Amino acid sequence: MSPDRRTLLCAGLGATAALASPIGPLTTPARGAAPERPPINGDVSGDADARAAVSADFGRIVRAQPQMVVRPKSSADIAKVMQWAASRKLKVAARGHGHSIYGRPLAEDGVVIDMTSIDAIADSGPDMTTVGATGQTGRTRIVAGAGATWSDILDAALARGLTPPVLTNYLGLTVGGTIAIGGIGASSSRYGLQTDNVLELQVATCDGRELTCSPTRNADLFDAARAGLGQCGIITRATLYLVRAPERVRRWQLYYPDLASLTSDQQRVLSEGRFDQLQGAVLPDGNGGWRYQLDGAIFYDGDPPDQNAAVVGLSDIRSAAQIVDLSYREDAHAFAKIEALRRSRGHWSNPQPWLFTFLPTSSAEQVAQEIIGKLTGDDIGPFGRITFYPLRSEAFRSPLVRMPEETTAFVFNVVRIPASDDASRIERMIADNRAIYERIRDAGGVLYPVSALPMSPDDWQRHFGPAWPRLRDAKRRYDPNNLLTPGYNVIQA
Ligand SMILES: Cc1cc2nc3c(=O)[nH]c(=O)nc-3n(C[C@H](O)[C@H](O)[C@H](O)COP(=O)(O)OP(=O)(O)OC[C@H]3O[C@@H](n4cnc5c(N)ncnc54)[C@H](O)[C@@H]3O)c2cc1C
């Protein structure tokens, strides 16, 4: 989908006007004939409400209305729909829970496949191979439909005392939706991205095939499906590694007077491996300034770790430190409280022009300081934050994941949660995101593709850099007509 075919809600065309725009019910039928529909067992709907429900995503910035919404009963249904759509040159997008920010799961005039019906989870026996993030043997795996959420998977794994090594902060995301992008979480320094912890995928392609892929089978598709922005196939099933779950988590939130002291301590605790999870943020203080936060956690069973040993020698404002003890499950679901608060204040349903990036460690503090210096609390919103913390990028091994060319990098996310849906303001924030992205790119940083900013095919080619030929070649092989996941605008229409 070229950007001009999508409606930018912030460009003055409000949701109501876009929803009211008349689009035919299904693919144009011959006079008197029933509307055409793909031959599947699942549901196919051309109903205005069904189409409207999938014509925007969580970001509420871009709108594009499909001709039909498919709710498949099986992966075979998905493959059939894709073949059917390909023979008609219709665009196709898979949709998890639509938590994208900038129209990525939309398909103007095309077919949206609602993956949430493909959510079965099955246990699998122990995996005795040594492939995987940690090279451990004897780990266990789980097989999940791509529409299952990470919350579903965590529940199933915890019932066996296990957990996925990397959980996203928000567990309402789908397996297929994060594997298509990367899937970063607080344990990524140790285990990489969720894409690094996949043993095998089943992928449906535009020619109607369902292919099993892994490092040793259809490896080109395996590499293109993981963090390939849904360009080469629709993931229908994933076999994922699990590791032993700790019983409990002790979490330290430390506060600093400035970015320099935060950055210095973050690097220190990362290099010393003090915490099992390390994150951090720059938060609006409500008085026009910022609070600088380090957030570290240690897993434990039995007695908790000493509360002073983990923070000895750090330069935080110790009187402001907060320590909490939670069960592993409570900790994994901690974001639900933030979600409830944002919902109760109405901020959850405003447009969300987020920008997610990685900065090289060598310039992270300087570039972040420069960007933060130009932002105000209003640019972020009272519940927004600038996520800022270092991680070991060595753990990131999926070929299409881009990281700065250093062994460690800093996550730098501008999580804007505006207090209003004022269109001109949102438009300014998106333009600002683009300017910030260019500054970061010039400094050797890279985009994490969950971001609200216009990206051209040339931008994507530059983003993927040396990995571009791998994605381009797989795209030619598995989606030669460029029909899949048009919302990214990766290939010129
Ligand atoms: C509140 C919130 C918190 C978040 N926290 C994190 C976080 O901690 N870490 C992180 O990495 N990300 C995070 N994200 C971003 C998240 O990874 C993306 O929004 C992603 O889109 C997943 O959401 P989803 O499963 O609803 O997928 P969707 O938004 O529905 O889809 C995402 C993209 O993947 C494609 N897609 C979906 N399913 C498939 C499939 N089965 N096969 C192929 N392509 C598919 C879609 O077409 C679309 O392009 C967060 C987002 C939100 C809104």
Side-chain angles (χ1 to χ4, degrees):
M1 181 185 348
S2 62
D4 54 328
R5 301 220 48 207
R6 304 189 302 179
T7 305
L8 278 179
L9 291 183
C10 61
L13 287 172
T16 318
L19 289 178
S21 57
I23 297 180
L26 290 181
T27 49
T28 315
R31 192 181 288 272
E36 242 194 310
R37 52 162 281 161
I40 61 166
N41 293 323
D43 296 334
V44 181
S45 177
D47 176 77
D49 286 346
R51 288 184 292 131
V54 299
S55 63
D57 58 14
F58 179 79
R60 292 179 184 80
I61 296 163
V62 175
R63 184 171 293 276
Q65 183 129 237
Q67 285 189 19
M68 68 183 77
V69 185
V70 170
R71 199 164 158 78
K73 274 212 162 73
S74 64
S75 59
D77 272 0
I78 296 171
K80 280 185 202 155
V81 170
M82 291 172 74
Q83 188 175 29
W84 180 88
S87 67
R88 287 157 181 78
K89 301 275 189 292
L90 289 175
K91 301 280 185 188
V92 176
R95 182 183 180 94
H97 279 293
H99 281 105
S100 295
I101 301 301
Y102 203 63
R104 310 312 188 190
L106 312 185
E108 174 81 18
D109 286 341
V111 180
V112 167
I113 304 181
D114 174 356
M115 297 299 296
T116 59
S117 55
I118 307 295
D119 62 349
I121 295 178
D123 289 349
S124 183
D127 165 45
M128 299 306 291
T129 69
T130 55
V131 186
T134 60
Q136 292 171 354
T137 55
R139 291 185 304 164
T140 308
R141 52 191 172 167
I142 197 164
V143 181
T149 63
W150 288 99
S151 174
D152 299 333
I153 291 172
L154 180 63
D155 282 347
L158 280 180
R160 296 153 63 200
L162 300 166
T163 179
V166 181
L167 290 169
T168 46
N169 286 348
Y170 180 52
L171 298 180
L173 312 172
T174 63
V175 171
T178 62
I179 291 177
I181 290 156
I184 190 168
S187 299
S188 285
S189 248
R190 182 167 297 169
Y191 292 113
L193 297 177
Q194 290 176 329
T195 48
D196 296 314
N197 294 284
V198 177
L199 181 62
E200 187 181 278
L201 293 173
Q202 186 172 303
V203 178
T205 53
C206 288
D207 53 8
R209 285 185 296 166
E210 290 176 74
L211 296 172
T212 300
C213 57
S214 70
T216 54
R217 202 168 161 194
N218 296 313
D220 62 334
L221 185 58
F222 187 64
D223 288 345
R226 292 176 303 142
L229 312 184
Q231 294 303 303
C232 300
I234 293 182
I235 300 162
T236 57
R237 196 178 68 202
T239 305
L240 308 166
Y241 285 118
L242 299 176
V243 293
R244 196 184 68 78
E247 285 169 14
R248 297 190 64 79
V249 179
R250 173 161 277 193
R251 183 169 288 284
W252 286 258
Q253 287 188 334
L254 309 178
Y255 292 90
Y256 292 81
D258 51 42
L259 190 69
S261 52
L262 171 70
T263 312
S264 164
D265 272 4
Q266 284 179 323
Q267 287 184 271
R268 177 172 176 183
V269 298
L270 179 74
S271 68
E272 293 173 358
R274 287 200 198 188
F275 293 111
D276 292 310
Q277 294 185 334
L278 175 64
Q279 292 190 311
V282 181
L283 306 157
D285 70 0
N287 297 313
W290 303 100
R291 294 189 303 148
Y292 301 88
Q293 181 196 67
L294 183 154
D295 187 343
I298 296 181
F299 298 152
Y300 68 97
D301 302 329
D303 293 335
D306 185 276
Q307 67 176 39
N308 297 316
V311 294
V312 75
L314 301 185
S315 66
D316 59 296
I317 306 162
R318 195 52 52 89
S319 57
Q322 292 171 351
I323 304 173
V324 287
D325 281 297
L326 298 167
S327 72
Y328 180 73
R329 189 177 190 287
E330 285 169 337
D331 186 66
H333 281 278
F335 190 89
K337 284 190 191 147
I338 300 175
E339 177 186 354
L341 186 63
R342 288 176 187 168
R343 278 187 193 278
S344 71
R345 303 287 171 89
H347 295 192
W348 190 257
S349 50
N350 284 338
Q352 312 276 333
W354 299 359
L355 177 70
F356 283 21
T357 68
F358 297 103
L359 281 165
T361 292
S362 55
S363 60
E365 185 198 327
Q366 182 213 325
V367 175
Q369 188 68 71
E370 178 191 316
I371 295 168
I372 293 167
K374 292 181 190 156
L375 292 171
T376 65
D378 274 358
D379 292 323
I380 305 297
F383 296 110
R385 59 174 49 216
I386 297 164
T387 316
F388 183 74
Y389 63 90
L391 42 70
R392 292 184 195 287
S393 36
E394 296 158 309
F396 293 37
R397 293 162 300 106
S398 307
L400 292 181
V401 168
R402 306 307 301 145
M403 288 300 285
E405 307 250 323
E406 294 181 6
T407 52
T408 62
F410 269 75
V411 168
F412 183 78
N413 299 337
V414 184
V415 186
R416 303 173 189 267
I417 308 196
S420 85
D421 62 357
D422 178 66
S424 59
R425 214 155 146 230
I426 306 297
E427 205 170 352
R428 266 202 315 279
M429 289 177 176
I430 292 166
D432 197 27
N433 280 353
R434 178 71 207 190
I436 294 174
Y437 168 56
E438 286 176 12
R439 171 70 185 100
I440 287 173
R441 192 175 63 180
D442 290 348
V446 298
L447 192 72
Y448 185 58
V450 182
S451 290
L453 80 170
M455 289 283 285
S456 69
D458 284 346
D459 287 326
W460 285 118
Q461 192 167 332
R462 187 167 168 189
H463 164 81
F464 283 107
W468 171 248
R470 187 189 291 269
L471 181 59
R472 180 200 59 205
D473 293 351
K475 180 86 174 161
R476 284 180 185 154
R477 198 166 311 130
Y478 296 106
D479 180 23
N481 295 314
N482 188 25
L483 299 175
L484 266 178
T485 320
Y488 277 100
N489 192 32
V490 171
I491 303 275
Q492 201 70 53

